[in-house]
């Protein structure tokens, strides 16, 4: 079967022939229709993710995919061949950018009829991160104001819509055509981060969702009200506990984990609330190189998807 794999860290992933995966008793074999990329995939390829996940090479790229169940292990009762599923694999296991992929049966959720396979594949990491960072960690409430850094990206495009639909006032940072995108997705106020320093005119927000890190996070503590909450997904930027204390705010990191119950909640919310799954581009596997360079550019508007069949 075709799969996009690396055999050593820092190799450019390439489309190659790979053996079909074996199915363990508690796993399902999925005929993959669509796969989405995340910045985590670049960390797997660079080897940085090997500090946090147990990775065996060669590894197939991507944790997020959707397709049709082809076969189930002997202990699997909740899925049968022909079911349409969204799967969220652990970054340490071989991934979903292949014609066939195996995942634990417990790592799949049903693909709602309102979503295409490409939209379903785009949800696991980005949608769950946006949802749980906003509502499980920051505990964003209707009527509160949230500042979302990186509103036009994969996580941000979900976060802007989730926060807007929850009745929060949304301020989002973006640039270029990302400004129009975040406005369309429901941002009440849009800041061009390349032209304006948000910290000079944003103040007293209840929540900051930091999807950028670095000095953007550094300037975010001061724009929170006393008692406000900063949640960051930017693993490369340690939280500034001293700044949090000085400004009387809380600061937390969010790390996505592939739990199906979490994914189920997010997929149901997307289905019921009519959330748009924003797709930056959807390319066939033969054009993987283009998708990969778009991911590593850090400029995506929504999600980058690769179609397999
Ligand atoms: N901890 C976790 O579990 C977890 C889970 C998911 C994601 N993440 C992390 O969260 C971050 C966002 O993930 P993602 O999937 O949304 O990435 P992404 O899709 O690659 O995000 C790209 C977007 O970021 C915007 N951006 C870049 N620099 C910016 C800045 N200084 N201010 C505002 N926007 C900026 C870009 O807009 P421009 O083109 O206009 O610059 C682009 O639209 C990444 O660092 C990722 O590694 C962590």
């Amino acid at each position: 079967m075709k799969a996009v794999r690396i055999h050593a860290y820092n190799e450019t992933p390439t489309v190659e022939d790979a053996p079909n995966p074996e199915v363990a008793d508690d796993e399902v074999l999925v005929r993959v229709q669509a796969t989405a990329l995340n910045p985590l995939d670049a960390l797997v390829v660079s080897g940085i993710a090997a500090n946090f996940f147990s990775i065996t090479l060669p590894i197939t790229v991507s944790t997020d995919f959707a397709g049709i169940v082809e076969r189930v292990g002997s202990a699997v009762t909740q899925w049968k061949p022909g079911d349409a599923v969204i799967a969220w694999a652990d970054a340490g296991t071989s991934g979903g950018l292949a014609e066939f992929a195996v995942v634990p049966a417990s790592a799949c959720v049903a693909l709602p009829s309102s979503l295409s396979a490409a939209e379903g594949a785009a949800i696991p990491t980005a949608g769950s991160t946006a949802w749980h960072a906003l509502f499980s960690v920051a505990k964003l409430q209707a009527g509160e104001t949230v500042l979302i850094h990186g509103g036009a990206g994969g996580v941000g495009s979900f976060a802007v819509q989730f926060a807007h639909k929850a009745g929060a006032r949304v301020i989002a940072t973006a640039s270029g055509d990302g400004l129009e995108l975040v406005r369309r997705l429901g941002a009440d106020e849009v800041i061009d981060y390349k032209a304006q320093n948000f910290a000079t005119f944003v103040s007293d927000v209840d929540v900051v969702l930091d999807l950028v890190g670095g000095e953007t996070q550094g300037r975010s503590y001061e724009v929170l009200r006393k008692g406000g909450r900063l949640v960051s997904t930017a693993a490369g930027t340690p939280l500034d506990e001293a700044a949090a204390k000085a400004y009387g705010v809380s600061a937390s990191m969010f790390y996505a984990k592939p739990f199906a119950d979490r994914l189920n909640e997010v997929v149901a919310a997307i289905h019921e609330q009519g959330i748009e799954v924003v797709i930056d581009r959807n390319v066939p596997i033969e054009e993987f190189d283009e998708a990969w360079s778009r991911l590593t550019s850090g400029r995506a508007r929504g999600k980058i998807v690769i179609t397999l069949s």
Side-chain angles (χ1 to χ4, degrees):
M1 66 167 189
K2 270 186 219 156
V4 175
R5 303 201 297 175
I6 55 161
H7 294 257
Y9 294 125
N10 277 320
E11 257 179 23
T12 302
T14 49
V15 185
E16 58 183 37
D17 276 327
N20 277 26
E22 300 288 327
V23 190
D25 291 351
D26 61 346
E27 289 179 333
V28 296
L29 177 71
V30 177
R31 181 162 47 81
V32 179
Q33 294 175 308
T35 296
L37 297 177
N38 289 284
L40 175 60
D41 299 319
L43 298 180
V44 169
V45 167
S46 70
I48 291 171
N51 295 316
F52 312 103
F53 300 93
S54 162
I55 294 176
T56 308
L57 298 175
I59 188 167
T60 301
V61 171
S62 177
T63 54
D64 297 10
F65 55 100
I68 305 295
V69 173
E70 182 82 6
R71 194 152 19 106
V72 301
S74 58
V76 174
T77 53
Q78 69 269 54
W79 304 111
K80 60 180 187 321
D83 287 344
V85 293
I86 301 172
W88 192 4
D90 183 88
T93 62
S94 224
L97 192 29
E99 288 175 285
F100 293 94
V102 287
V103 275
S106 60
C108 295
V109 306
L111 176 74
S113 56
S114 59
L115 298 177
S116 66
E119 291 168 328
I123 295 172
T125 300
S128 302
T129 297
W131 182 267
H132 290 287
L134 284 173
F135 303 122
S136 307
V137 182
K139 309 223 181 294
L140 181 69
Q141 304 291 322
E144 289 192 318
T145 299
V146 57
L147 169 63
I148 298 173
H149 290 303
V155 178
S157 59
F158 282 113
V160 168
Q161 296 180 80
F162 289 153
H164 172 68
K165 293 263 182 188
R169 180 167 163 267
V170 179
I171 308 172
T173 63
S175 81
D177 56 1
L179 295 163
E180 182 46 38
L181 173 66
V182 293
R183 206 171 280 124
R184 181 168 69 69
L185 297 178
D188 299 282
E189 208 175 309
V190 173
I191 297 171
D192 180 348
Y193 77 87
K194 288 187 175 161
Q196 296 162 301
N197 175 1
F198 67 89
T200 60
F201 55 94
V202 175
S203 60
D204 287 332
V205 301
D206 300 284
V207 171
V208 173
L209 178 59
D210 167 35
L211 306 173
V212 171
E215 54 89 30
T216 299
Q217 184 189 116
R219 285 183 277 125
S220 291
Y221 296 91
E222 70 199 68
V223 307
L224 284 157
R225 69 164 168 80
K226 230 179 181 26
R229 296 92 75 195
L230 178 142
V231 179
S232 179
T233 65
T237 303
L239 296 172
D240 187 340
E241 302 291 355
K245 196 168 173 211
Y247 288 103
V249 303
S250 69
S252 319
M253 287 301 302
F254 176 84
Y255 296 103
K257 301 231 166 57
F259 295 143
D261 56 342
R262 289 188 173 185
L263 179 56
N264 248 327
E265 197 181 337
V266 178
V267 171
I270 288 170
H271 173 64
E272 285 156 18
Q273 298 179 13
I275 299 290
E276 178 183 340
V277 179
V278 179
I279 295 189
D280 177 274
R281 63 197 57 208
N282 182 353
V283 301
I285 189 169
E286 292 74 20
E287 291 170 27
F288 168 76
D289 289 354
E290 187 207 327
W292 188 252
S293 59
R294 182 65 169 165
L295 173 78
T296 52
S297 76
R299 299 275 83 92
R301 308 281 178 253
K303 296 297 302 172
I304 300 160
V305 175
I306 295 153
T307 303
L308 287 108
S309 58

